[in-house]
């Protein structure tokens, strides 16, 4: 099994496999990948961001993936790609050591007799699977995962470790969920009655489209009446909170610690920055970028980049300016009064 | 068991059970609940928010729960309630499919011989319970939960799945904890000594009142000397951080990703918005609403609504305004100088 | 075993053990620790913060740890320390009840035959350990932990409960990880190709230095090519997100809900406040304090305190000022125009 442990490829083989243009010695052997700055012999690196162009001259990489207009600057062997970062992603997948997950159910797993688990799925130790849940062919359920009642996993899903699908979670194909994530927990639905909170039952589920990925310790609540929905190829980073009945459009990505409150609708191809928040019941159209730690307080109808917050400064400067923020309306009124009749 | 799987009720029966006023045909059968927009025959919907009033005319719902002043607009059968949302919450609980949790201890559970578990409690697979911990009658401990040493669970508590009560956590009655939450981990107590951090032992515990609910992957640290305390009916959403020695008053609700730092005291009937933060050692009085992603930087003595932050705009506009924020004190001084002696 | 359950020490013994100066009756017995306000007979308290000085007169504590200049105000027995908080931390560790963790492997644990676990390590129930992973002497692996392939734990590490080291995580000595934390999950590396996301394989690992501590439900992603690195004595609170290839300098502490995005470099002895964020690829020098919920949007070259955001006010005031923030650039232009030529 040496080949699997230490894979190697010639530059020519990589060029053919990924439809790249070869420049230089096709027999150059690639045994791994690295950054331009740290690569050594036998390693392949890439140049995507122009500001690292100066590293081309000094890199120890045997092969570099570049755009056509950088190819002339490569000393050794080059693979020319339309998008070097994508090409690099695909090549470096060849060197990814994936844990072996043999088909079969670990003897410790606790599986309800009404659950249906494909015989070629891998079910690890200390996994529990509830009533009527279905695990399709090619799924990998890592150690300590909890799948509750009435869940469905499509072909080739991967729950890495300690993932919870609490109830009524339906995953499409090839959904990957990182450790500790919780899908299908009750949404935060409360009604105040005579001074006490009453829980509003959360009768919906969670529907996750094909090729989605959910990060570590993130939470996606099940819907109150209808479902919470992620369309296909949605990418959720770690520690993200998705409230009940949120709908996220295809190919949208949300970075770490961001959140969408109940019933928010987010479009396709959106990017939500780290720590950003979207208030409940708002609608965000397609191709919106929300910068990190911004709060979306109204619906967004036009594609583009949106921000809130103030810039970072040293604390002394910040204190002076922040104190003035509290007087901003008064200041503006004063300016208005004193410049009335003035030009502009 | 059909009745449990597919419960149904007449409108008259619901009216009687929840003390609602019936309008129309009391024999109308209700087999489920839905939103006004999506309800069909056999389903019950509700109108609480006036802006959905226009949906009354077109709803396919067989029964609608409304306020008295909306009853005339209902075509079919209506149930008239003082608070339709509360009535709906109670009715829809009849249709909630709760997982069956038979009394008894799963054979895989690892229970310390000094722990006391009520014989009618449900203890699921891969649960561990530490020394001297007590689980009262009617408790449900879902798969993968870890209860450490010296914990106590009152009657009817539910730890849904993969919950950790690390040590010295005492739950009142009917406390519900969602998957992945961690209670009783050490508070973040550090002292710097000769350039190295020294841990300050966290000798206190966590006390949670009756009817509290803690969301998925939330954390409530144990106290340093005294306990961290949640009074009764406190509702904590997902991914919320509660530091050591925090005290939260009864009926307060904290939305997802919010946080209270060490020794903060929050009053009763407060609402803390998503992503909002409360600094350590502050006091917040009763009936305070903190809007989403606001930071409470000083104690709040008066009930009411509080906010910080700036509004969301397109990024180009934001950049121009944010740059001016850094000059705000200078700007104010300039205005003061130029308008000295002017009116206002 | 009474001594272990209920330890007690004379003031003289504590003075000698921790090199403190004794004032008063060295035979005074200490059986526990408490705050100045709540301490009673047999308890030791401390005064570090001058604003609690008035509590010295009324405290019921039998022994108080104080600075030299407060010693005269202590009625009973005092222990005089250069840093009373540090001395208190060390003394109170004597009264910490730590759970007994006998060496040995729980029979339920699932350990790969190629893993190496020191015979004196404690491995709790429902633990799984993957291929080629190594657990050194004195380690404690609590219930439900998942250690994947190719991980290494140095001497005396503690994974408290339900911790995941997904793959290629190398811990130094005495690293303590609180429940639910996830180390070594894939970083959020994505490339867009023809309208679909492509995962960039995350081939690096996580390296954690000696004496680090990671809080409950926090996440530290593994690197894309190189490793994500925490130097020694780094302290991470709960629900913190550390992206791939971040490097955190020795003795830096990050409070709850803070985050550092991919490839950020944080210096030594930094303090990152709760909910604060550091954007990707930035560099923060040593001894920087970032206040709570601030966003670091540019590299920081000078030690000191840094902030962003606006102050909390009542919502009505905030609304008026926030509306003016949107006009801030226009306001500044107007002031500039009207005061041109005027004295500043």
């Amino acid at each position: 099994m040496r080949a699997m442990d230490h894979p190697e490829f010639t530059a020519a083989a990589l060029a053919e496999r990924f439809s790249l243009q070869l420049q230089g010695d096709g027999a150059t052997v690639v045994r791994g990948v690295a950054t331009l700055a740290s690569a050594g012999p036998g390693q392949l690196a890439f140049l995507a961001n122009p500001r690292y162009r100066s590293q081309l001259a000094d890199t120890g990489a045997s092969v570099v993936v570049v755009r056509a207009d950088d190819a002339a600057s490569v000393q050794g062997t080059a693979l020319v790609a339309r998008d070097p970062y994508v090409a690099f992603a695909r090549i470096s997948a060849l060197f990814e050591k994936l844990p072996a997950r043999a088909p079969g159910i670990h003897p410790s797993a606790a599986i309800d007799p009404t659950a249906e688990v494909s015989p070629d799925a891998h079910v690890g130790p200390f996994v529990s699977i509830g009533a009527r849940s279905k695990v399709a062919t090619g799924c990998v359920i890592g150690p300590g995962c909890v799948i509750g009642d009435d869940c469905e996993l499509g072909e080739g899903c991967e729950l890495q470790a300690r993932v919870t699908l609490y109830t009524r979670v339906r995953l499409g194909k090839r959904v990957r969920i990182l450790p500790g994530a919780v899908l299908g927990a009750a949404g935060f639905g409360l009604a105040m009655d005579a001074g006490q909170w009453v829980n509003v039952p959360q009768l919906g589920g969670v529907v996750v489209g094909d090729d989605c990925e959910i990060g570590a310790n993130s939470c996606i609540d099940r819907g109150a009446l209808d479902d919470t929905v992620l369309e296909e190829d949605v990418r959720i980073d770690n520690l993200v909170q998705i409230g009940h009945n949120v709908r996220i459009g295809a190919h949208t990505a949300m970075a770490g610690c961001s959140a969408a409150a109940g019933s928010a609708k987010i479009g396709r191809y959106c990017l939500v920055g780290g720590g950003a928040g979207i208030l409940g019941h708002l609608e965000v159209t397609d191709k919106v970028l929300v910068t990190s730690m911004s709060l979306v307080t109204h619906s967004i109808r036009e594609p583009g980049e949106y921000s809130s917050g103030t810039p970072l400064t040293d604390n002394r400067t910040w204190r002076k300016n922040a104190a003035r923020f509290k007087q901003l309306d008064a200041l503006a009124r004063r300016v208005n009064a004193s410049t009335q009749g003035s030009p502009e």
Side-chain angles (χ1 to χ4, degrees), chain A residues 192-211:
Chain A
M192 181 58 76
D193 184 31
Q196 292 271 345
W197 290 114
V198 177
N199 274 343
V200 180
Q202 303 292 302
L203 307 176
V206 175
V207 176
V208 177
D210 295 346
D211 300 303

Side-chain angles (χ1 to χ4, degrees), chain A residues 77-99:
Chain A
T77 301
L79 293 171
V80 179
R82 193 180 47 80
D83 186 331
Y85 191 47
V86 169
F88 179 79
R90 296 198 186 282
I91 292 169
S92 73
L94 301 174
F95 299 97
E96 194 171 15
K97 264 194 200 171
L98 294 172

Side-chain angles (χ1 to χ4, degrees), chain A residues 258-281:
Chain A
S258 61
S263 299
K265 304 277 173 280
I266 305 176
R268 294 158 56 93
Y269 291 106
C270 292
L271 298 172
V272 179
I278 298 172
L279 292 186
H281 296 271

Side-chain angles (χ1 to χ4, degrees), chain A residues 7-321:
Chain A
E8 56 179 58
F9 304 87
T10 62
L14 295 174
E16 191 183 339
R17 185 165 186 158
F18 297 106
S19 305
L20 305 172
Q21 190 189 330
L22 173 69
Q23 169 186 295
D25 182 5
T28 310
V29 173
V30 174
R31 296 192 184 82
V33 292
T35 60
L36 275 178
S38 68
Q43 291 189 304
L44 174 144
F46 73 105
L47 174 65
N49 188 333
R51 71 171 171 166
Y52 295 117
R53 192 171 283 148
S54 64
Q55 296 182 354
L56 267 188
D58 298 326
T59 184
S62 295
V63 179
V64 184
V65 185
V66 289
R67 270 195 211 85
D69 49 357
D70 287 316
S73 314
V74 178
Q75 319 274 326
T77 301
L79 293 171
V80 179
R82 193 180 47 80
D83 186 331
Y85 191 47
V86 169
F88 179 79
R90 296 198 186 282
I91 292 169
S92 73
L94 301 174
F95 299 97
E96 194 171 15
K97 264 194 200 171
L98 294 172
R101 306 283 209 176
I105 296 176
H106 192 276
S108 66
I111 300 183
D112 189 277
T114 64
E116 297 173 27
V117 178
S118 169
D120 77 345
H122 167 94
V123 176
F126 320 125
V127 166
S128 63
I129 303 182
R132 297 170 302 279
S133 285
K134 295 175 187 172
V135 176
T137 181
C139 286
V140 168
I141 316 293
C145 289
V146 175
I147 299 175
D149 296 347
D150 299 300
C151 295
E152 288 184 36
L153 286 73
E155 289 179 30
C157 287
E158 182 185 5
L159 311 190
Q160 295 194 331
R162 297 201 303 102
V163 168
T164 300
L165 308 184
Y166 190 66
T167 192
R168 295 191 293 277
V169 177
R170 300 195 296 286
L171 307 181
K173 297 175 183 173
R174 297 171 304 276
V175 173
R176 188 166 79 143
I177 308 186
L178 276 57
V182 176
L183 282 73
F188 198 58
L190 298 171
M192 181 58 76
D193 184 31
Q196 292 271 345
W197 290 114
V198 177
N199 274 343
V200 180
Q202 303 292 302
L203 307 176
V206 175
V207 176
V208 177
D210 295 346
D211 300 303
C212 287
E213 180 159 333
I214 314 295
N217 283 348
S218 287
C219 298
I220 303 181
D221 285 345
R222 68 179 190 266
L225 291 168
D226 302 324
D227 295 323
T228 302
V229 178
L230 275 65
E231 299 178 358
E232 72 269 17
D233 197 29
V234 167
R235 304 303 180 111
I236 304 285
D237 196 359
N238 300 343
L239 291 168
V240 170
Q241 158 67 7
I242 306 294
H244 52 178
N245 298 106
V246 166
R247 183 176 191 102
I248 304 183
H251 316 293
T252 282
M254 295 181 67
C257 306
S258 61
S263 299
K265 304 277 173 280
I266 305 176
R268 294 158 56 93
Y269 291 106
C270 292
L271 298 172
V272 179
I278 298 172
L279 292 186
H281 296 271
L282 299 183
E283 293 191 22
V284 173
T285 192
D286 298 347
K287 299 190 180 173
V288 166
L289 189 161
V290 179
T291 59
S292 296
M293 289 178 67
S294 295
L295 177 64
V296 178
T297 48
H298 54 78
S299 290
I300 299 181
R301 312 284 181 200
E302 295 296 323
E305 189 172 346
Y306 294 83
S307 302
S308 69
T310 78
L312 189 88
T313 61
D314 67 276
N315 182 263
R316 193 162 160 271
T317 302
W318 176 80
R319 279 179 184 278
K320 285 193 296 184
N321 291 323

